[in-house]
Amino acid sequence: MTSDAPVIAVEGLRFRYGGAGEAFSLEVPELTIGVGEHTALIGPSGCGKTTLLRLLIGSLTPDTGEVCVLGERVSLMGEGARRRVRRRNIGMVFQGFALLDYLTAHQNITLPRRLDPSLMSARDADARARSLAERAGIAGLLDRRPGRLSQGERQRVAICRALLASPALIACDEPTGNLDPARSAGVVDLIMDEAEAIGSTVLFVTHDHGLLGRFGRVVELDKLTTMATGAVS
Amino acid sequence: MIGALGLAIAHARANWGRSLVLCVCLGVVIGLPLVTRVIVADFGAAMRSRAATVPLVVGAKGSRFDLVFNALHFRASDLGPLSTGAFAEIDGEDGVFGVPIHARYTARGAPVVGSSFDYVELRGLRVREGRMLAALGEALIGSRASARLGVGAGGEIPTDQVRSYDITAPPSLMLSVVGVLEPTGTPDDDAVFVDLETSWVIEGIAHGHEAAAAVIDPGKLIGRSEEHVALSGAVVEYQRITDENVASFHIHGERDDLPLSAALLFPDSDKTRTIVAERINATPDLQAVEPAVVIDDLIAFVVRLRTLIDAVAVALGAVTLALLGLIAILSYRARMEEMATLREIGASVGVVRGVFWMEFGLLLAGGIVLASIGAAMAMSFGDALYGFVL
């Protein structure tokens, strides 16, 4: 990783995917997201926002083209190396929270450390988890399992988990999709404030235009990409 | 991998009911054949070691298993009696030493064994508390029977009434326990020992009552002549032998006809054993058997039975493993979302797979621990189990 490299750099990306009887092709000629940028990725439902996000963080491998995360060519890496890049540099927030229901809120927040003890010491992870939970307003809920938390509380736990290791990139896949407008604003505020505090770059996928005012840059997928739909040959 | 192990433990703990059921299922599948083997091995060793100490057992013709179990393990049998006269004849032969056994009755469930002092010497029985037998109506109690019945030296124990509603049956006799034996880890620990005369009192062949000559109550008197007094059944027999009434105890009939249930024979050579056994087996009423051979036959039968139990356990195990496989598949499907989350946040392939398989490893380990505990308990309770079975 080079210090002056953009957080994400895409060139000539092409990815073909689809279900039975139908195939989609997603093409991104070029995209660069710089350090500390807060970028919203918007577009109508089904336009490939989540697919693009997963390509950018190395969850999916493009058919052609190049994706670099913090200067590392993740598109050329093997699965293990891409996972390591995600684990150490990217904090993910999902629409469905994706909490492990058998862990307490505290254990969910410190999950990244459990998966990679080299990220930080257990004591630091505990202190950081409590500090994040305090700011997220869930300090009193750390011993509860997700089943005993409201949707808003669960999303806050998920955000705290993404922020635990102070990642260079916070990738959010429609984290407000299941929340009402008031809670959505609260979640965005939390992410942006914490990102600001630790200097993280934010890539925020949403179709809620009401949230766009919080972002320094808005990328419309329709204008960025060429989407093709057709029968599987 | 530590992370995966931690997650596996957390998942197993959060779903503790399911984990417990799976652990127990695995424990049963692994433990059943293991415990069966331990018990059969222990049982066989204990039976063989006791049988090996006695070259021949003699008794009435009938089931050889009944005879050996009566002579060595004091189990009541339906075999006919071995008369004292027949025993004396065998015991008097050159090169043969015999120990009489009378084991037909019980006291509060414990077998009452009538024998001679030779038995005490033969088995190396030692008194832990109290003293040896000295008089009619006294008893020594085995250590396990003492603990089970809560009776020690100085206590009393009634023999069990054989036929409660039969007024002609001998009444229960109160035995005075004068000593408790040291534990031996054999059926002797579960028995109550008396002398042969006491066992004949228990059987009703010997009895004590008020002196016939002194009876004047016409209700107790059937007839009187200068030589004989005939008493009616209304004369009450003593049910406790005391210093005052012990002299009144007597036997009706010939001493040679008094019954034993078996006798242990110790020939001085293999040749003598063969000759004695052949001669006894040629008689119409008696049989002589080698306990070691009889027990080997029994163990062979038990081992065949164990093979059957093993086969059942294998079938049970196959079904359980199939069910566990089904549970594993369903559990994996139910946790695919969790696996996807772990992948997305960068968990290594090993951790993602490890979370799932380590939990099964933990459950398997739990099952093995349960099975081991079962086997250890079977071993530690071996003596008790042995006493319970026999």
Side-chain angles (χ1 to χ4, degrees), chain B residues 24 57 59-60 64 72 74 91 128-129 144 173 198 202 212 216 243 278 291 302 328 345 350 376 390:
Chain B
V24 170
V57 168
R64 60 196 180 118
L72 302 184
F74 317 132
D91 190 32
R128 184 181 70 189
E129 176 195 340
R144 214 158 31 215
L173 180 70
T198 302
I202 295 168
I216 52 170
D243 289 343
E278 286 299 317
V302 172
I345 63 177
L390 295 171

Side-chain angles (χ1 to χ4, degrees), chain A residues 199-216:
Chain A
S200 296
T201 300
V202 175
L203 180 57
F204 196 102
V205 172
T206 184
H207 60 262
D208 184 351
H209 287 247
L211 300 173
L212 299 183
R214 295 298 312 267
F215 295 91

Side-chain angles (χ1 to χ4, degrees), chain B residues 9 14 27 29 53 71-72 85 110 115 141 148 189 192 198 205 263 273 300:
Chain B
I9 291 171
V29 168
T53 58
L72 302 184
S115 190
I141 190 165
R148 182 171 68 84
D189 293 346
V192 174
T198 302
I205 297 167
R273 182 183 64 194

Side-chain angles (χ1 to χ4, degrees), chain A residues 54 57 59 79 83-84 86-87 92 94 98 100 102-103 107 111 114-115 145 161, chain B residues 3 6-7 10-11 14 335 338 341-349 351-352 355:
Chain A
R54 296 188 67 204
I57 65 170
S59 279
E79 175 67 18
R83 289 189 187 201
R84 190 170 57 249
R86 286 205 295 279
R87 209 159 58 225
M92 276 293 295
F94 305 88
L100 305 193
Y102 56 88
L103 299 181
Q107 289 168 332
L111 182 62
R114 196 190 279 251
L115 298 178
R145 290 209 173 106
R161 179 180 67 189
Chain B
L7 290 176
H11 191 267
R335 296 178 70 182
E338 175 195 338
T341 300
L342 290 173
R343 270 197 303 274
E344 293 287 312
I345 63 177
S348 67
V349 176
V351 167
V352 175
V355 171

Side-chain angles (χ1 to χ4, degrees), chain B residues 42 46 144 184-186 189-190 378-388:
Chain B
D42 249 24
R144 214 158 31 215
T184 59
T186 68
D189 293 346
D190 297 301
M379 284 172 79
S380 64
F381 292 130
D383 278 357
L385 207 63
Y386 184 59
F388 171 75

Side-chain angles (χ1 to χ4, degrees), chain B residues 319-352:
Chain B
V319 171
T320 308
L321 288 177
L323 285 172
L324 288 175
L326 183 65
I327 291 169
I329 291 168
L330 293 175
S331 178
Y332 189 83
R333 283 185 183 169
R335 296 178 70 182
M336 282 178 76
E337 198 176 322
E338 175 195 338
M339 305 290 171
T341 300
L342 290 173
R343 270 197 303 274
E344 293 287 312
I345 63 177
S348 67
V349 176
V351 167
V352 175

